[in-house]
Amino acid sequence: MYSVIVRGHMMIAHSFKGEVFGPAQRLHGATFVVDVEFRRPDLDADGIVIDIGRATEALTGILGGMNYRNLDEQPAFAGRNTTSEYLARVVFDRLVEAINRDEMGPGAAAVETIRVTLHESHVAAAAYEGAIPGHASR
Amino acid sequence: MYSVIVRGHMMIAHSFKGEVFGPAQRLHGATFVVDVEFRRPDLDADGIVIDIGRATEALTGILGGMNYRNLDEQPAFAGRNTTSEYLARVVFDRLVEAINRDEMGPGAAAVETIRVTLHESHVAAAAYEGAIPGHASR
Amino acid sequence: MYSVIVRGHMMIAHSFKGEVFGPAQRLHGATFVVDVEFRRPDLDADGIVIDIGRATEALTGILGGMNYRNLDEQPAFAGRNTTSEYLARVVFDRLVEAINRDEMGPGAAAVETIRVTLHESHVAAAAYEGAIPGHASR
Amino acid sequence: MYSVIVRGHMMIAHSFKGEVFGPAQRLHGATFVVDVEFRRPDLDADGIVIDIGRATEALTGILGGMNYRNLDEQPAFAGRNTTSEYLARVVFDRLVEAINRDEMGPGAAAVETIRVTLHESHVAAAAYEGAIPGHASR
Amino acid sequence: MYSVIVRGHMMIAHSFKGEVFGPAQRLHGATFVVDVEFRRPDLDADGIVIDIGRATEALTGILGGMNYRNLDEQPAFAGRNTTSEYLARVVFDRLVEAINRDEMGPGAAAVETIRVTLHESHVAAAAYEGAIPGHASR
Amino acid sequence: MYSVIVRGHMMIAHSFKGEVFGPAQRLHGATFVVDVEFRRPDLDADGIVIDIGRATEALTGILGGMNYRNLDEQPAFAGRNTTSEYLARVVFDRLVEAINRDEMGPGAAAVETIRVTLHESHVAAAAYEGAIPGHASR
């Protein structure tokens, strides 16, 4: 299995609901350094997994929709705790949508799985990894 | 699959038995920077994989049992080479025991697999990854 | 010159006032990974720059006063932009106060300069470095 | 599953053919920091996955064959784009050959899968991961 | 003294002349991850050292002039070994020119010193640090 | 001022004497990842600060003298706590001796200052920085 991994980041405010979060129930924030790994079993004719330039642009666009914002005020997240693991899934879902809209070039259609990792500090991270829904080979 | 990853460290002395270890047969030591990844297929009602505070406490406790010690003198390791890969398994086993003792909260029961990585320097690491024994879904 | 460097972190929300900040004028947040370097020309009788345990505790306490908070609501920062460079200075000032209150042990009195670095992402950081006011040797 | 991970690097020149590469069609270069993860289900009698010294030597030898070279002039890569993902596969194949020539000691025969990751910058990487062809347990 | 540090990178080919370089006399390449630290004694009215957005743009522009190129063919470097330390100076000089052309905003005029660090691998780096020529306060 | 920075590491056992060290009074160990920065005001005719290959060899030799050893049994350290800051000075002194024995080539004679940083974990480091004794320009 071949992979290409690209990195981006976003700086957001949010708060959590639930006793388990302790002081993180207060409004605070985070820098998320985001690594996205695209995987497919074979390389294309150019010898690549995906157009890394377009993949980076797509990631930048997705993170740009949350960057410098208070996620508590985003309608898309109403009633949800925007934990790192949940946001990893959000980025995954939006990447799948971008692939389905053909925004990452023809090679992206051959990507079978994606892993999104959000590093929230030097001692904590979260990830979501999954197959691309509807992909023929799975 | 969702993941949460937490980091801790320990500073230990030890020696190895066996020609393959060369100069590492002498008493020496290591800082192990330890990453633990907890994985489960769905988030709980709070939107998390595991209570990250309790997971970090459990890891700190496990590493604390070895930290600032000479592992050659630990009865638990008698007759064993405490290599990085072996210690990764030890940390894994002790995390499973902590989960089974319900020390990491109810969410931990849904964790299916754990990966423990020990970084021993900027150029070497070892890991153990496995399913939690007895977990219903496996 | 000898140094000891310890690391901590905090996760905060804030916003900036001023056109130069562009989208960062909106409420957002950051994880600051904070490195503090303590410097003195000679080691003490134990062979150390400073009691690293107490230095880490002091740093944790200082960061704890801001961690999981919206800095826009902190009276101490009223009318100020809590930029990374400004916060580096805040941490510096509070470390100097902790030294002056003798919270870091007798060795801390010999520390001449401190550098505080705040990493706000994998591509940006800020720092403040200065002599400890009133230190005899300066 | 147990893993051992070793790191090396190489500094090469190359160019790519194909519009998708944009300015990278020009002759340029890269430092590849290379992580190799060797995996097997059980440890050997010494408590290790692989002789880390010999594994590092094998990796150094493989990278040494490309280091400080222009890959466009290497006959082995004629007609191919030496992308990061392709080179990850090249390193994988050459490690398998080294194992098959018994250059990494008897323990290497028990290695089932290898993952090779090439970090090309602080924001991009590529990997190839596969089972060792002909391994009995697969 | 306050600092702001921004990061960029470039991927170049080059070769060196001189026996001291050994195999690096051959055409090869490097990824340079470049950190630039801007320093000034006081913050401006906005609480910043420099407009970090414009500083990043200036750095990206300077690195873009070398990125994806063979430095052996650049007239600006004729007769010179483009070592990491030399390139650190080149980036420094071009940053000073950008400041003098007022490309980084009014705050940049108060910057007194700049440090440019080029990381060429996980085990080697080079830097140039200097005062900005003609700065009044020096 | 120009710099070249090289990295090595060593894995040692030791213990400390003195209440300030708490549990680190027990025999334990550490991996020290060691960065050495060599500084001089001008480059030589080849465009370098120092022969990086010979500097790395010298550092490897110095660390090799301590690597895989129990520092408590080294006569050179009798009666001393081998703290990170003290060991940074030891490495500095041995590098100066190597320069004075002309082991790092003619360029090393122009090096004015050296900074040695020992990273003992992801959250702690120590350093010693000084001028090379007897250097004419100081």
Side-chain angles (χ1 to χ4, degrees), chain C residues 45 55 115:
Chain C
R115 178 181 166 103

Side-chain angles (χ1 to χ4, degrees), chain F residues 44-115:
Chain F
D44 74 7
D46 288 315
I48 60 175
V49 163
I50 197 170
D51 181 338
I52 197 171
R54 294 179 77 171
T56 301
E57 269 174 48
L59 176 61
T60 302
I62 288 165
L63 300 180
M66 293 180 270
N67 199 14
Y68 294 126
R69 282 186 170 82
N70 178 0
L71 300 187
D72 292 355
E73 297 175 351
Q74 296 286 301
F77 306 135
R80 303 297 301 258
N81 281 319
T82 53
T83 59
S84 304
E85 44 270 58
Y86 172 74
L87 290 173
R89 176 60 182 271
V90 168
V91 174
F92 172 89
D93 287 344
R94 294 181 181 182
L95 285 165
V96 170
E97 290 164 19
I99 287 173
N100 288 342
R101 284 192 308 264
D102 199 24
E103 286 177 23
M104 290 195 230
V111 171
E112 294 193 352
T113 61
I114 293 178
R115 179 181 165 101

Side-chain angles (χ1 to χ4, degrees), chain A residues 52-70:
Chain A
I52 197 171
R54 294 179 78 172
T56 301
E57 269 174 50
L59 177 61
T60 302
I62 289 166
L63 300 180
M66 294 180 268
N67 200 12
Y68 294 126
R69 282 186 169 83
N70 178 0

Side-chain angles (χ1 to χ4, degrees), chain A residues 12-18 21 23-29 70-73 80-83, chain C residues 13:
Chain A
I12 59 89
H14 61 172
S15 64
F16 298 134
K17 284 197 166 32
F21 297 104
Q25 294 175 86
R26 299 194 297 249
L27 182 64
H28 64 287
N70 178 0
L71 301 187
D72 292 354
E73 298 175 350
R80 303 298 300 257
N81 280 319
T82 53
T83 60

Side-chain angles (χ1 to χ4, degrees), chain B residues 4 8 10 17 23 63 74 77 80-81 84 86 90 97 114 119 133 136:
Chain B
V4 157
M10 60 177 171
K17 284 195 168 30
L63 299 181
Q74 297 287 300
F77 305 136
R80 302 299 302 256
N81 281 319
S84 305
Y86 172 74
V90 168
E97 290 164 18
I114 293 178
H119 304 272

Side-chain angles (χ1 to χ4, degrees), chain E residues 11-99:
Chain E
M11 304 180 79
I12 58 88
H14 62 171
S15 64
F16 298 135
K17 285 196 167 32
E19 268 183 54
V20 72
F21 296 104
Q25 294 175 85
R26 298 195 297 249
L27 183 64
H28 64 287
T31 305
F32 290 114
V33 175
V34 183
D35 286 323
V36 178
E37 179 172 357
F38 300 91
R39 297 192 189 116
R40 53 185 279 191
D42 293 296
L43 298 181
D44 73 8
D46 288 315
I48 60 174
V49 164
I50 196 170
D51 181 339
I52 197 171
R54 293 179 77 172
T56 301
E57 267 174 51
L59 176 60
T60 302
I62 288 166
L63 299 180
M66 294 180 269
N67 199 11
Y68 294 126
R69 283 188 168 81
N70 178 1
L71 301 187
D72 293 354
E73 297 175 350
Q74 296 287 300
F77 306 136
R80 303 297 301 256
N81 280 320
T82 54
T83 60
S84 303
E85 44 270 59
Y86 172 73
L87 290 173
R89 175 62 182 269
V90 168
V91 173
F92 172 88
D93 286 343
R94 294 181 181 182
L95 286 164
V96 170
E97 290 165 17
I99 288 173

Side-chain angles (χ1 to χ4, degrees), chain B residues 52-91:
Chain B
I52 197 170
R54 294 179 78 173
T56 300
E57 267 174 50
L59 176 61
T60 302
I62 289 166
L63 299 181
M66 295 179 270
N67 199 12
Y68 294 126
R69 281 186 171 83
N70 178 1
L71 301 187
D72 293 354
E73 298 175 350
Q74 297 287 300
F77 305 136
R80 302 299 302 256
N81 281 319
T82 53
T83 59
S84 305
E85 44 269 57
Y86 172 74
L87 291 172
R89 175 63 182 268
V90 168
V91 174

